[in-house]
Short mmCIF file of all heavy atoms in Angstrom, two decimals:
data_model
loop_
_atom_site.label_atom_id
_atom_site.label_comp_id
_atom_site.label_asym_id
_atom_site.label_seq_id
_atom_site.Cartn_x
_atom_site.Cartn_y
_atom_site.Cartn_z
N MET A 1 14.86 -99.96 112.18
CA MET A 1 14.76 -98.96 111.10
C MET A 1 14.50 -97.59 111.78
O MET A 1 13.47 -97.46 112.34
CB MET A 1 13.74 -99.39 110.10
CG MET A 1 13.57 -98.42 109.00
SD MET A 1 12.60 -99.11 107.57
CE MET A 1 11.88 -100.50 108.15
N CYS A 2 15.39 -96.59 111.61
CA CYS A 2 15.22 -95.35 112.31
C CYS A 2 14.44 -94.32 111.57
O CYS A 2 13.98 -93.36 112.17
CB CYS A 2 16.57 -94.86 112.68
SG CYS A 2 17.45 -94.14 111.25
N MET A 3 14.35 -94.50 110.30
CA MET A 3 13.58 -93.48 109.37
C MET A 3 14.29 -92.22 109.19
O MET A 3 13.68 -91.17 108.71
CB MET A 3 12.18 -93.24 109.88
CG MET A 3 11.27 -94.45 109.98
SD MET A 3 10.84 -95.04 108.31
CE MET A 3 9.61 -93.92 107.88
N GLY A 4 15.56 -92.19 109.65
CA GLY A 4 16.38 -90.90 109.60
C GLY A 4 16.41 -90.41 108.12
O GLY A 4 16.40 -89.22 107.85
N CYS A 5 16.70 -91.36 107.19
CA CYS A 5 16.92 -90.95 105.82
C CYS A 5 15.64 -90.41 105.25
O CYS A 5 15.69 -89.49 104.45
CB CYS A 5 17.46 -92.09 105.01
SG CYS A 5 16.40 -93.66 105.16
N VAL A 6 14.62 -90.96 105.62
CA VAL A 6 13.25 -90.45 105.15
C VAL A 6 13.02 -89.06 105.68
O VAL A 6 12.52 -88.11 104.96
CB VAL A 6 12.01 -91.39 105.51
CG1 VAL A 6 10.78 -90.76 105.06
CG2 VAL A 6 12.28 -92.70 104.99
N GLU A 7 13.41 -88.72 106.97
CA GLU A 7 13.17 -87.49 107.52
C GLU A 7 14.14 -86.45 106.87
O GLU A 7 13.78 -85.33 106.63
CB GLU A 7 13.50 -87.57 109.03
CG GLU A 7 12.29 -88.18 109.79
CD GLU A 7 12.62 -88.46 111.22
OE1 GLU A 7 13.41 -87.78 111.79
OE2 GLU A 7 12.11 -89.43 111.77
N ILE A 8 15.43 -86.94 106.76
CA ILE A 8 16.33 -85.96 106.07
C ILE A 8 16.11 -85.61 104.69
O ILE A 8 16.22 -84.51 104.19
CB ILE A 8 17.77 -86.52 106.33
CG1 ILE A 8 18.15 -86.53 107.75
CG2 ILE A 8 18.81 -85.69 105.52
CD1 ILE A 8 19.46 -87.22 108.16
N CYS A 9 15.69 -86.70 103.90
CA CYS A 9 15.54 -86.49 102.36
C CYS A 9 14.36 -87.31 101.88
O CYS A 9 14.50 -88.34 101.26
CB CYS A 9 16.90 -87.04 101.69
SG CYS A 9 17.13 -86.63 100.02
N SER A 10 13.17 -86.89 102.17
CA SER A 10 11.98 -87.47 101.87
C SER A 10 11.68 -87.37 100.21
O SER A 10 10.90 -88.07 99.74
CB SER A 10 10.76 -86.92 102.53
OG SER A 10 10.61 -85.62 102.31
N ALA A 11 12.44 -86.58 99.57
CA ALA A 11 12.29 -86.44 98.17
C ALA A 11 12.86 -87.75 97.49
O ALA A 11 12.55 -88.03 96.31
CB ALA A 11 13.04 -85.18 97.57
N VAL A 12 13.77 -88.37 98.11
CA VAL A 12 14.40 -89.52 97.65
C VAL A 12 14.03 -90.88 98.36
O VAL A 12 13.83 -91.88 97.77
CB VAL A 12 15.93 -89.41 97.68
CG1 VAL A 12 16.68 -90.63 97.19
CG2 VAL A 12 16.42 -88.20 96.82
N PHE A 13 14.08 -90.92 99.60
CA PHE A 13 13.85 -92.05 100.39
C PHE A 13 12.34 -92.18 100.87
O PHE A 13 11.81 -91.30 101.32
CB PHE A 13 14.77 -92.18 101.64
CG PHE A 13 16.30 -92.12 101.18
CD1 PHE A 13 16.97 -90.94 101.42
CD2 PHE A 13 16.90 -93.29 100.81
CE1 PHE A 13 18.36 -90.84 101.04
CE2 PHE A 13 18.23 -93.20 100.43
CZ PHE A 13 18.97 -92.10 100.58
N TYR A 14 11.77 -93.35 100.80
CA TYR A 14 10.42 -93.54 101.34
C TYR A 14 10.20 -94.96 101.81
O TYR A 14 11.03 -95.83 101.42
CB TYR A 14 9.45 -93.18 100.30
CG TYR A 14 9.34 -94.31 99.12
CD1 TYR A 14 8.27 -95.22 99.12
CD2 TYR A 14 10.31 -94.35 98.17
CE1 TYR A 14 8.14 -96.19 98.16
CE2 TYR A 14 10.23 -95.35 97.21
CZ TYR A 14 9.13 -96.22 97.23
OH TYR A 14 9.08 -97.25 96.22
N LEU A 15 9.26 -95.04 102.71
CA LEU A 15 8.93 -96.43 103.27
C LEU A 15 7.91 -97.12 102.31
O LEU A 15 6.86 -96.52 102.12
CB LEU A 15 8.39 -96.35 104.67
CG LEU A 15 7.93 -97.60 105.27
CD1 LEU A 15 9.05 -98.63 105.42
CD2 LEU A 15 7.22 -97.29 106.77
N ASN A 16 8.27 -98.22 101.80
CA ASN A 16 7.38 -98.99 100.94
C ASN A 16 6.55 -99.84 101.94
O ASN A 16 7.02 -100.75 102.58
CB ASN A 16 8.16 -99.87 99.98
CG ASN A 16 7.26 -100.71 99.11
OD1 ASN A 16 6.16 -101.05 99.45
ND2 ASN A 16 7.71 -100.94 97.87
N ASP A 17 5.16 -99.53 102.08
CA ASP A 17 4.39 -100.19 103.02
C ASP A 17 4.24 -101.70 102.67
O ASP A 17 3.93 -102.49 103.54
CB ASP A 17 3.07 -99.44 103.04
CG ASP A 17 3.06 -98.17 103.79
OD1 ASP A 17 3.89 -98.01 104.72
OD2 ASP A 17 2.41 -97.24 103.33
N ASP A 18 4.35 -102.05 101.36
CA ASP A 18 4.12 -103.35 100.94
C ASP A 18 5.34 -104.25 101.46
O ASP A 18 5.14 -105.36 101.92
CB ASP A 18 4.05 -103.52 99.48
CG ASP A 18 2.64 -102.89 99.01
OD1 ASP A 18 1.79 -102.93 99.74
OD2 ASP A 18 2.59 -102.49 97.80
N THR A 19 6.54 -103.81 101.22
CA THR A 19 7.74 -104.58 101.59
C THR A 19 8.21 -104.28 103.01
O THR A 19 9.03 -104.96 103.67
CB THR A 19 8.88 -104.26 100.64
OG1 THR A 19 9.26 -102.87 100.82
CG2 THR A 19 8.56 -104.63 99.18
N GLY A 20 7.84 -103.17 103.48
CA GLY A 20 8.36 -102.75 104.87
C GLY A 20 9.76 -102.18 104.84
O GLY A 20 10.45 -102.13 105.80
N LEU A 21 10.23 -101.95 103.59
CA LEU A 21 11.64 -101.51 103.37
C LEU A 21 11.67 -100.06 103.00
O LEU A 21 10.80 -99.54 102.27
CB LEU A 21 12.26 -102.36 102.36
CG LEU A 21 12.44 -103.86 102.65
CD1 LEU A 21 13.04 -104.64 101.45
CD2 LEU A 21 13.34 -104.08 103.79
N ILE A 22 12.75 -99.38 103.32
CA ILE A 22 13.03 -98.06 102.79
C ILE A 22 13.53 -98.23 101.29
O ILE A 22 14.44 -99.05 101.05
CB ILE A 22 14.14 -97.35 103.52
CG1 ILE A 22 13.77 -97.29 105.05
CG2 ILE A 22 14.50 -95.93 102.98
CD1 ILE A 22 12.84 -96.26 105.42
N GLU A 23 12.94 -97.52 100.36
CA GLU A 23 13.39 -97.57 98.98
C GLU A 23 13.66 -96.24 98.45
O GLU A 23 13.45 -95.13 99.09
CB GLU A 23 12.19 -98.22 98.20
CG GLU A 23 11.97 -99.65 98.65
CD GLU A 23 11.08 -100.49 97.75
OE1 GLU A 23 10.67 -99.90 96.70
OE2 GLU A 23 10.69 -101.57 98.07
N VAL A 24 14.43 -96.24 97.33
CA VAL A 24 14.93 -95.02 96.75
C VAL A 24 14.00 -94.77 95.50
O VAL A 24 13.82 -95.58 94.64
CB VAL A 24 16.39 -95.12 96.31
CG1 VAL A 24 16.93 -93.98 95.53
CG2 VAL A 24 17.26 -95.40 97.50
N ILE A 25 13.60 -93.49 95.32
CA ILE A 25 12.81 -93.12 94.27
C ILE A 25 13.78 -92.93 93.01
O ILE A 25 14.78 -92.32 93.14
CB ILE A 25 12.11 -91.75 94.55
CG1 ILE A 25 11.05 -91.96 95.74
CG2 ILE A 25 11.34 -91.21 93.19
CD1 ILE A 25 10.49 -90.74 96.21
N GLU A 26 13.38 -93.47 91.94
CA GLU A 26 14.24 -93.35 90.70
C GLU A 26 14.07 -91.89 90.10
O GLU A 26 13.08 -91.38 89.96
CB GLU A 26 13.63 -94.25 89.50
CG GLU A 26 13.83 -95.69 89.73
CD GLU A 26 15.22 -96.16 89.46
OE1 GLU A 26 15.86 -95.50 88.67
OE2 GLU A 26 15.69 -97.27 89.95
N MET A 27 15.34 -91.30 90.07
CA MET A 27 15.27 -89.89 89.54
C MET A 27 16.43 -89.71 88.49
O MET A 27 17.36 -90.51 88.57
CB MET A 27 15.64 -88.95 90.78
CG MET A 27 14.70 -89.05 91.90
SD MET A 27 15.22 -88.08 93.42
CE MET A 27 14.49 -86.61 92.97
N ASP A 28 16.22 -88.75 87.65
CA ASP A 28 17.33 -88.47 86.76
C ASP A 28 18.46 -87.86 87.32
O ASP A 28 19.66 -88.07 86.98
CB ASP A 28 16.79 -87.48 85.57
CG ASP A 28 15.87 -88.27 84.66
OD1 ASP A 28 15.94 -89.52 84.48
OD2 ASP A 28 14.98 -87.60 84.10
N ALA A 29 18.29 -86.96 88.33
CA ALA A 29 19.29 -86.36 89.08
C ALA A 29 18.96 -86.25 90.57
O ALA A 29 17.82 -85.97 90.90
CB ALA A 29 19.50 -84.96 88.49
N TYR A 30 19.92 -86.63 91.33
CA TYR A 30 19.66 -86.73 92.83
C TYR A 30 20.16 -85.50 93.66
O TYR A 30 21.25 -84.95 93.11
CB TYR A 30 20.28 -88.00 93.44
CG TYR A 30 19.52 -89.22 92.98
CD1 TYR A 30 19.86 -89.96 91.77
CD2 TYR A 30 18.44 -89.72 93.65
CE1 TYR A 30 19.29 -91.07 91.34
CE2 TYR A 30 17.68 -90.90 93.24
CZ TYR A 30 18.16 -91.54 92.08
OH TYR A 30 17.40 -92.61 91.68
N PRO A 31 19.52 -85.02 94.60
CA PRO A 31 20.01 -83.93 95.37
C PRO A 31 21.19 -84.45 96.32
O PRO A 31 20.99 -84.95 97.38
CB PRO A 31 18.88 -83.49 96.19
CG PRO A 31 17.99 -84.74 96.35
CD PRO A 31 18.22 -85.54 95.09
N GLU A 32 22.39 -84.21 95.68
CA GLU A 32 23.58 -84.83 96.35
C GLU A 32 23.85 -84.44 97.79
O GLU A 32 24.14 -85.27 98.64
CB GLU A 32 24.80 -84.47 95.54
CG GLU A 32 24.85 -85.19 94.15
CD GLU A 32 26.21 -85.05 93.52
OE1 GLU A 32 27.19 -84.80 94.20
OE2 GLU A 32 26.12 -85.09 92.23
N SER A 33 23.63 -83.15 98.17
CA SER A 33 23.95 -82.76 99.45
C SER A 33 22.99 -83.26 100.48
O SER A 33 23.30 -83.62 101.59
CB SER A 33 23.97 -81.17 99.53
OG SER A 33 22.77 -80.66 99.19
N ASP A 34 21.67 -83.46 100.07
CA ASP A 34 20.70 -84.05 100.99
C ASP A 34 21.01 -85.54 101.20
O ASP A 34 20.90 -86.08 102.44
CB ASP A 34 19.34 -83.94 100.45
CG ASP A 34 18.75 -82.47 100.59
OD1 ASP A 34 19.45 -81.65 101.30
OD2 ASP A 34 17.65 -82.15 100.06
N ILE A 35 21.41 -86.18 100.19
CA ILE A 35 21.75 -87.65 100.27
C ILE A 35 23.00 -87.81 101.14
O ILE A 35 23.17 -88.68 101.94
CB ILE A 35 21.89 -88.28 98.90
CG1 ILE A 35 20.46 -88.26 98.22
CG2 ILE A 35 22.41 -89.72 98.92
CD1 ILE A 35 20.39 -88.84 96.82
N ASP A 36 23.98 -86.94 100.82
CA ASP A 36 25.16 -87.05 101.62
C ASP A 36 24.95 -86.79 103.13
O ASP A 36 25.56 -87.50 103.97
CB ASP A 36 26.23 -86.01 101.19
CG ASP A 36 26.85 -86.49 99.88
OD1 ASP A 36 26.84 -87.66 99.48
OD2 ASP A 36 27.48 -85.58 99.21
N GLU A 37 23.98 -85.96 103.44
CA GLU A 37 23.50 -85.76 104.75
C GLU A 37 22.82 -87.04 105.31
O GLU A 37 23.21 -87.45 106.51
CB GLU A 37 22.47 -84.55 104.76
CG GLU A 37 22.20 -83.95 106.24
CD GLU A 37 23.37 -83.02 106.50
OE1 GLU A 37 24.35 -82.83 105.81
OE2 GLU A 37 23.27 -82.39 107.62
N ALA A 38 22.02 -87.70 104.62
CA ALA A 38 21.38 -88.89 105.00
C ALA A 38 22.46 -90.00 105.21
O ALA A 38 22.35 -90.76 106.26
CB ALA A 38 20.41 -89.37 104.05
N ILE A 39 23.44 -90.06 104.38
CA ILE A 39 24.56 -91.04 104.51
C ILE A 39 25.30 -90.81 105.79
O ILE A 39 25.57 -91.72 106.60
CB ILE A 39 25.56 -90.91 103.31
CG1 ILE A 39 24.90 -91.56 102.07
CG2 ILE A 39 26.86 -91.67 103.63
CD1 ILE A 39 25.68 -91.28 100.83
N LYS A 40 25.52 -89.53 106.12
CA LYS A 40 26.32 -89.15 107.31
C LYS A 40 25.63 -89.57 108.58
O LYS A 40 26.22 -89.97 109.58
CB LYS A 40 26.49 -87.59 107.20
CG LYS A 40 27.48 -87.09 108.24
CD LYS A 40 27.87 -85.67 107.78
CE LYS A 40 27.37 -84.67 108.90
NZ LYS A 40 27.64 -83.23 108.36
N TYR A 41 24.27 -89.38 108.65
CA TYR A 41 23.46 -89.70 109.82
C TYR A 41 22.90 -91.06 109.89
O TYR A 41 22.25 -91.35 110.92
CB TYR A 41 22.48 -88.65 110.03
CG TYR A 41 23.02 -87.30 110.35
CD1 TYR A 41 23.08 -86.21 109.40
CD2 TYR A 41 23.54 -87.01 111.69
CE1 TYR A 41 23.66 -84.91 109.73
CE2 TYR A 41 24.09 -85.85 112.01
CZ TYR A 41 24.09 -84.79 110.99
OH TYR A 41 24.71 -83.55 111.34
N CYS A 42 23.09 -91.90 108.82
CA CYS A 42 22.54 -93.27 108.99
C CYS A 42 23.33 -94.08 109.99
O CYS A 42 24.63 -94.25 109.80
CB CYS A 42 22.61 -94.00 107.62
SG CYS A 42 22.16 -95.75 107.72
N PRO A 43 22.76 -94.49 111.08
CA PRO A 43 23.46 -95.17 112.18
C PRO A 43 24.00 -96.56 111.72
O PRO A 43 24.86 -97.16 112.30
CB PRO A 43 22.49 -95.39 113.30
CG PRO A 43 21.13 -95.29 112.57
CD PRO A 43 21.36 -94.40 111.39
N GLU A 44 23.48 -97.12 110.64
CA GLU A 44 23.82 -98.51 110.14
C GLU A 44 24.81 -98.44 108.97
O GLU A 44 25.14 -99.48 108.47
CB GLU A 44 22.53 -99.31 109.82
CG GLU A 44 21.47 -99.42 110.80
CD GLU A 44 21.98 -100.24 111.98
OE1 GLU A 44 22.90 -101.05 111.85
OE2 GLU A 44 21.31 -100.14 113.08
N ASN A 45 25.10 -97.24 108.59
CA ASN A 45 26.00 -97.18 107.44
C ASN A 45 25.39 -97.90 106.23
O ASN A 45 26.19 -98.62 105.48
CB ASN A 45 27.46 -97.65 107.63
CG ASN A 45 28.18 -96.62 108.50
OD1 ASN A 45 28.03 -95.40 108.44
ND2 ASN A 45 29.07 -97.10 109.37
N ALA A 46 24.19 -97.84 105.97
CA ALA A 46 23.33 -98.67 105.01
C ALA A 46 23.18 -97.88 103.72
O ALA A 46 22.61 -98.51 102.79
CB ALA A 46 21.98 -99.04 105.59
N ILE A 47 23.62 -96.67 103.58
CA ILE A 47 23.42 -95.95 102.31
C ILE A 47 24.74 -95.72 101.70
O ILE A 47 25.65 -95.32 102.35
CB ILE A 47 22.69 -94.60 102.71
CG1 ILE A 47 21.50 -94.77 103.54
CG2 ILE A 47 22.29 -93.89 101.30
CD1 ILE A 47 20.79 -93.55 104.06
N CYS A 48 24.80 -95.90 100.46
CA CYS A 48 26.02 -95.51 99.73
C CYS A 48 25.69 -95.14 98.29
O CYS A 48 24.61 -95.40 97.78
CB CYS A 48 27.11 -96.60 99.68
SG CYS A 48 26.51 -98.09 98.81
N TRP A 49 26.58 -94.43 97.64
CA TRP A 49 26.48 -93.98 96.27
C TRP A 49 26.93 -95.22 95.40
O TRP A 49 27.84 -95.93 95.70
CB TRP A 49 27.34 -92.85 95.82
CG TRP A 49 26.83 -91.58 96.34
CD1 TRP A 49 27.23 -90.81 97.42
CD2 TRP A 49 25.75 -90.76 95.80
NE1 TRP A 49 26.48 -89.72 97.69
CE2 TRP A 49 25.64 -89.63 96.64
CE3 TRP A 49 24.94 -90.87 94.71
CZ2 TRP A 49 24.69 -88.68 96.36
CZ3 TRP A 49 23.94 -90.00 94.40
CH2 TRP A 49 23.88 -88.84 95.22
N GLU A 50 26.19 -95.42 94.23
CA GLU A 50 26.64 -96.52 93.32
C GLU A 50 26.56 -95.84 91.94
O GLU A 50 25.58 -95.22 91.53
CB GLU A 50 25.64 -97.65 93.56
CG GLU A 50 26.21 -99.03 93.03
CD GLU A 50 25.16 -100.16 93.40
OE1 GLU A 50 24.15 -100.35 92.68
OE2 GLU A 50 25.33 -100.70 94.52
N GLN A 51 27.59 -96.21 91.08
CA GLN A 51 27.63 -95.61 89.72
C GLN A 51 27.00 -96.65 88.83
O GLN A 51 27.12 -97.84 89.08
CB GLN A 51 29.07 -95.43 89.31
CG GLN A 51 29.78 -94.44 90.25
CD GLN A 51 29.87 -93.02 89.58
OE1 GLN A 51 30.17 -92.97 88.52
NE2 GLN A 51 29.61 -91.99 90.41
N ASP A 52 26.38 -96.19 87.70
CA ASP A 52 25.82 -97.19 86.73
C ASP A 52 27.03 -97.71 85.98
O ASP A 52 28.00 -97.11 85.75
CB ASP A 52 25.00 -96.35 85.74
CG ASP A 52 23.69 -96.10 86.30
OD1 ASP A 52 23.21 -96.76 87.22
OD2 ASP A 52 22.83 -95.23 85.80
S1 SF4 B 101 18.90 -96.62 105.94
FE1 SF4 B 101 19.95 -95.73 107.69
S2 SF4 B 101 18.91 -93.81 108.02
FE2 SF4 B 101 17.48 -94.98 106.69
S3 SF4 B 101 16.14 -96.01 108.04
FE3 SF4 B 101 17.80 -97.38 107.69
S4 SF4 B 101 19.29 -97.12 109.42
FE4 SF4 B 101 17.85 -95.29 109.29
#
């Protein structure tokens, strides 16, 4: 786990100390450009957009 997404977009991604996993904060509206940046730099291609 590189923590890149947390560094790029800490408003959305955070490390859950209980699970040891990166999780997404529930928001009404997400900062799209910051998330797209995190997607671009994630070395594992582990982040994607999902529609409701
Ligand atoms: S989701 Fe991607 S950018 Fe975030 S910690 Fe995992 S590998 Fe790194």
Side-chain angles (χ1 to χ4, degrees):
M1 182 167 8
C2 70
M3 298 291 286
C5 53
V6 177
E7 284 168 29
I8 291 169
C9 190
S10 60
V12 174
F13 301 101
Y14 71 101
L15 175 62
N16 183 326
D17 288 324
D18 293 333
T19 63
L21 298 173
I22 304 284
E23 297 190 1
V24 173
I25 296 167
E26 292 277 339
M27 302 172 89
D28 290 333
Y30 289 91
E32 290 190 25
S33 59
D34 287 350
I35 291 174
D36 285 341
E37 197 78 356
I39 289 171
K40 195 164 109 187
Y41 287 104
C42 173
E44 304 291 341
N45 288 325
I47 309 170
C48 66
W49 285 102
E50 203 170 83
Q51 302 258 319
D52 281 341

